[in-house]
Amino acid sequence: MTTSQSSASPGDQMAEGLQSGGTRRQAPGKNALAFIFITVMLNMIGFGVIIPVMPQLLQEITGQGVAEAARWGGILSATYALMQFIFSPIMGGLSDQFGRRPVILFSLLIYSLDFLLLALAPTVAILLLARMIAGAFAATFTTANAYIADISPPEKRAANFGLVGAAFGLGFIIGPAIGGYLGEQYGARAPFFFVAGLGMVNFIYGAIFLPETLAPENRRRFDIRRANAFGNFKQFAQYPIILPIALAMLIFQIGHWTFPSVWAYYAEAKFSWSPGEIAASLVMVGLAAAIVQGGLSRVIVPRFGERATAVAAIALAVIIYPLYGFINDGRLVYAVIPIGALVGLGMPALQGIMSRTIPANAQGELSGAVASISGLAMIVGPFLTTQIFSAFTDPGSPVSIGSWVVLERGAPFFFPGAPFVFSGILSAIALIPLISALNLVKRGRGEAVPDLDGAEVGSGK
């Protein structure tokens, strides 16, 4: 359903007033994609700066040791991911009605102010509130993907979605580096002030130069029944390949969270690496991801197609993830990282497949659904894989009541690479619904289904 000016509600008029220059839609300039890239990268930097300084900040606030800090760190991470899961489809649905520009700018403004709150937080309760806000407005990713869908022709969407992955990679390089340096030089709160200032600069730039890309005829009213992950999936059930690909994406993403969740612990337990050595490996991962998703994706996806790229990337994960788990020499990690980065081609290829399947006025909800999948994986993946890591590295800690030992806990055998083997198995499972969906596209059932190369299957075209 589209929104016309004659029937515009006060809320519609207010939202349109947020757009640059009034209600007229501007053609996206050459810097629009660059702005989206920078915005996503800043959000990832904000995520990355927390990694090296959050333990120190939590110990400072609670006055407790690292064990208590880790416990609260897990609660904060789960809260962030849960809020992102809830709000991503809401932000995507709002962008389908009010346009991409006001939603992106409002999210960026609140997200920047939230980092100022994190920097000043005197208690854990305030930190928890700040992480809730950050999770809700990290849904900038949702609208950013919809923005890319608006300004990209179908054949270039997967490649441009890959730029978002490149922004993640660069943010993963820059964020921990900033957090580590500023935290060491100026204290645990300094990185949060830095990100707040940087985000505000980006907000001001966007308020001046970012154009709207969603045409009035492609807008539709916000409906809370569609603005949730499960509502989105139900809405898209009319498109035959959406749900099985969404399932494959979820399983694949859960496995993918193994690396950021357990890598630091794994490298210390397996290779006795220092924090500096762990940071160096993460920089390598970020560089490889940026090269693959920002550069090679624009060559590989058009050359081999979205279907072949998605299947090959996930199949590679089946091999690469367990390989990480079985490596015995830390130096070999650097040989595996560049090959493993090719796994990152899977997500933009899957997004490209899904984007081709739905109409223009539903791209925001699709982006919301994809972001919700990532949010759900971000809740489940880190918790699940860290528990597996703990189960296979715990040297033994008896549970006692008084002087009675009632339970002996400990790893059946020492195997810190167990989470990576588990992720390889998950990747193999993800291939099942994906291949099933792609076979459905080839066969065509009932009504015409858009082919991934632009033709229609089952329609005689």
Side-chain angles (χ1 to χ4, degrees), residues 155 158-159 296-306 309 345 348-349:
E155 66 275 8
L296 292 182
S297 66
R298 307 178 75 83
V299 177
I300 293 175
V301 176
R303 173 66 179 83
F304 297 101
E306 292 159 352
T309 301
L345 293 171

Side-chain angles (χ1 to χ4, degrees), residues 215-269:
E217 63 271 16
N218 286 331
R219 299 189 185 190
R220 63 176 174 180
R221 290 191 180 277
F222 176 79
D223 186 343
I224 191 62
R225 293 171 297 180
R226 297 193 306 262
N228 63 83
F230 303 105
N232 276 347
F233 296 152
K234 183 178 179 180
Q235 176 75 10
F236 292 139
Q238 61 184 301
Y239 307 106
I241 70 170
I242 287 291
L243 290 181
I245 291 179
L247 177 60
M249 186 180 287
L250 173 61
I251 298 171
F252 178 54
Q253 283 274 82
I254 289 174
H256 180 72
W257 270 100
T258 297
F259 203 101
S261 301
V262 305
W263 181 252
Y265 308 103
Y266 169 74
E268 181 178 344

Side-chain angles (χ1 to χ4, degrees), residues 35 39 43 104-112 140 199 202-203:
F35 173 84
T39 297
N43 277 3
I104 288 175
L105 292 179
F106 184 72
S107 296
L108 188 59
L109 175 63
I110 299 300
Y111 194 64
S112 299
T140 302
N202 197 37
F203 165 76

Side-chain angles (χ1 to χ4, degrees), residues 6 20 89 91 96 117 134 158 160 167 207 235-236 270 280 315 326 334 385 428 454:
S6 61
S20 178
M91 302 302 283
D96 277 340
L117 180 61
N160 285 341
Q235 176 75 10
F236 292 139
K270 186 73 174 286
F326 285 105
Y334 289 92
T385 55

Side-chain angles (χ1 to χ4, degrees), residues 335-429:
V336 177
I337 286 174
I339 303 172
L342 294 171
V343 172
L345 293 171
M347 278 298 293
L350 291 173
Q351 286 178 259
I353 293 170
M354 297 173 77
S355 180
R356 284 180 179 271
T357 312
I358 65 170
N361 67 352
Q363 293 293 330
E365 283 187 3
L366 173 62
S367 297
V370 170
S372 291
I373 289 171
S374 298
L376 182 58
M378 190 176 174
I379 297 170
V380 176
F383 175 80
L384 193 58
T385 55
T386 51
Q387 295 307 303
I388 292 173
F389 176 85
S390 178
F392 282 89
T393 56
D394 186 354
S397 51
V399 178
S400 303
I401 299 179
S403 60
W404 291 4
V405 176
V406 297
L407 178 65
E408 286 283 357
R409 294 187 303 183
F413 53 89
F414 183 76
F415 184 36
F420 294 96
V421 174
F422 174 73
S423 295
I425 295 172
L426 285 181
S427 299
I429 295 173

Side-chain angles (χ1 to χ4, degrees), residues 10 20 54 69 81 83 153 185 195 197-198 220 261 312 323 325 328 335 348 375 419 451:
S20 178
M54 184 59 84
M83 294 299 291
Q185 296 294 321
V195 174
L198 201 61
R220 63 176 174 180
S261 301
L323 185 58
N328 288 319
D451 181 72

